[in-house]
Amino acid sequence: MSHASISTSSSTSRKRKSKSPIKALIIAITCSLTALAVILTNDPSLILWDKAWPGLIRPLLRMLGFLGIGLIVGITVEGMGWAPLLATLVRPVMRFGNLKDESGAAFTTAFFSGTAANTMLMTFWKEKKISLQEMKLSYLINTGLPVFLLHLPTTFFIIVPMTRTAGAIYLSLNGIAALLRTFLLLIWTRIKLAPHAATSAAENQPAHRKTSAAKVLDAFRKRFLRICTITAPVYFLIYALNQAGMFEYLRTTAAGWITSAYLPVEAVSVVVFAVAAEFTTGIAAAGALLDGGALTTEQLVLALVLGTIVATPIRALRHQLPSQTGVFSFKIGFPMLLMSQALRISCLICVTSLYIWIAG
């Protein structure tokens, strides 16, 4: 009876693996045909080289390049047994959340590369070193404080010089919201995940595995091919929908509703610019309104926060969905992306509400 159950289990596993490429192929074909139909309906010239290269092909190649770098880093870290070494600095935090060293390694990596961290989590899950639940929760944790600090140097020198105090407050609110999100998720993992046995000092040392470059490259080739199969068609679909004006319509509609409901008319342009594709333009417009006295510091902070709330889900769909569905599957990656954005918006609203209460 035991032998029969094992045979059934292995048969089910083989069937699942055989269906996976078919599902990926169906998704890829569906996205590609839909994108092509949207482009031919709206502007067939978009498939010509002079428009396709700067708008579609070059950005896609750049995204796949970064995904490839993240993938090979993740495979190398897993293959060489370096996870305990990377997890050393954050091990007390991970222990608090009942998270394993593999999750700690991905958390550390997320401060430098979100793509590499996601790739590591997916690799560790496939190797059955962490559970699916821990992978999802670790992903959500990594999108908190690590992502904020990763982008802080760039955003700081764009926002603060143009908007001064309002910009500093805005960044502080985002930082506190990211910290709050990470802390709450660690509490949740402590509740949901079972404690695991602490490793000894000897076990904490990185394992010296005999992983050859050929094995790393072979694993990279197989995984990267699967990622490209999903990422490229999804990116093509997002590109087509963007050129058709869908995201611009969503931005304008959402910005118009929020500004008319909560902000003075003078702040409308700030929010609209802030949710546009060119973030620097929105910040410049915000600084001009502040200098002209059209908005107070508190109003500008609120306008920037609301602009971020409007922009967050749209930017996530445009910029993160293709890579998310490539590294993870669509079934896993899309819900995790929605959850991370919902948590980001919720925590930002809570922190901003407290700021409004204190400032008022």
Side-chain angles (χ1 to χ4, degrees):
M1 184 172 181
S2 174
H3 178 71
S5 64
I6 292 175
S7 300
T8 303
S9 176
S10 60
S11 175
T12 303
S13 177
R14 284 194 298 270
K15 288 181 180 179
R16 191 183 301 117
K17 288 182 179 179
S18 64
K19 289 181 179 179
S20 181
I22 297 176
K23 289 182 179 179
L25 187 60
I26 292 174
I27 293 174
I29 293 174
T30 302
C31 289
S32 299
L33 291 178
T34 304
L36 189 59
V38 171
I39 288 178
L40 293 178
T41 302
N42 290 273
D43 186 3
S45 66
L46 290 173
I47 61 176
L48 298 178
W49 180 259
D50 59 339
K51 289 187 178 181
W53 169 252
L56 173 63
I57 300 175
R58 185 170 61 185
L60 176 59
L61 292 176
R62 182 174 180 271
M63 172 182 286
L64 291 176
F66 282 114
L67 283 173
I69 294 172
L71 177 61
I72 203 163
V73 168
I75 293 174
T76 302
V77 168
E78 191 280 329
M80 299 301 293
W82 292 342
L85 183 62
L86 287 175
T88 301
L89 295 176
V90 295
R91 185 167 287 124
V93 177
M94 296 295 104
R95 287 281 185 264
F96 173 80
N98 291 331
L99 295 164
K100 295 182 179 179
D101 278 350
E102 286 76 13
S103 295
F107 181 78
T108 303
T109 305
F111 286 93
F112 306 98
S113 171
T115 300
N118 291 342
T119 303
M120 290 169 64
L121 286 176
M122 189 64 176
T123 301
F124 292 142
W125 174 59
K126 283 186 171 293
E127 294 290 331
K128 297 183 179 180
K129 295 183 177 181
I130 60 175
S131 65
L132 178 61
Q133 184 181 39
E134 180 168 348
M135 183 189 74
K136 292 180 178 180
L137 291 173
S138 296
Y139 164 81
L140 294 176
I141 291 173
N142 292 350
T143 59
L145 192 61
V147 170
F148 172 77
L149 293 178
L150 176 63
H151 297 292
L152 181 60
T154 302
T155 56
F156 179 87
F157 288 106
I158 292 176
I159 295 175
V160 174
M162 294 185 183
T163 56
R164 299 181 297 282
T165 303
I169 295 174
Y170 166 75
L171 285 177
S172 299
L173 293 177
N174 277 273
I176 294 172
L179 180 62
L180 175 65
R181 184 160 81 253
T182 301
F183 179 68
L184 291 177
L185 283 168
L186 283 171
I187 293 178
W188 184 246
T189 59
R190 184 176 179 86
I191 296 172
K192 296 295 292 183
L193 299 179
H196 56 276
T199 55
S200 65
E203 292 174 321
N204 286 338
Q205 299 300 318
H208 297 287
R209 301 185 186 179
K210 296 181 180 179
T211 302
S212 64
K215 291 182 179 179
V216 171
L217 291 176
D218 183 60
F220 168 79
R221 179 182 56 81
K222 293 177 181 177
R223 290 283 306 280
F224 190 63
L225 180 61
R226 189 189 70 82
I227 288 176
C228 291
T229 302
I230 295 296
T231 301
V234 172
Y235 189 91
F236 184 31
L237 178 59
I238 296 297
Y239 167 78
L241 294 175
N242 182 50
Q243 294 298 324
M246 189 190 79
F247 294 107
E248 185 64 32
Y249 171 76
L250 292 175
R251 284 197 297 265
T252 304
T253 303
W257 179 82
I258 288 183
T259 52
S260 62
Y262 297 106
L263 290 175
V265 177
E266 293 85 353
V268 174
S269 60
V270 176
V271 178
V272 172
F273 277 125
V275 298
E278 181 53 55
F279 181 70
T280 306
T281 304
I283 299 302
L289 286 174
L290 182 64
D291 293 337
L295 290 173
T296 64
T297 298
E298 290 76 14
Q299 287 174 335
L300 181 55
V301 170
L302 181 58
L304 291 173
V305 169
L306 290 176
T308 300
I309 292 173
V310 171
T312 292
I314 299 172
R315 286 176 180 163
L317 291 176
R318 285 188 60 188
H319 302 296
Q320 298 179 36
L321 181 61
S323 61
Q324 291 283 102
T325 53
V327 175
F328 306 103
S329 65
F330 185 86
K331 182 179 179 181
I332 297 175
F334 185 60
M336 289 198 307
L337 179 61
L338 293 181
M339 180 62 71
S340 68
Q341 301 308 315
L343 287 172
R344 179 186 179 188
I345 291 173
S346 300
C347 290
L348 185 57
I349 289 175
C350 292
V351 172
T352 305
S353 299
L354 180 60
Y355 163 74
I356 294 173
W357 179 71
I358 295 175

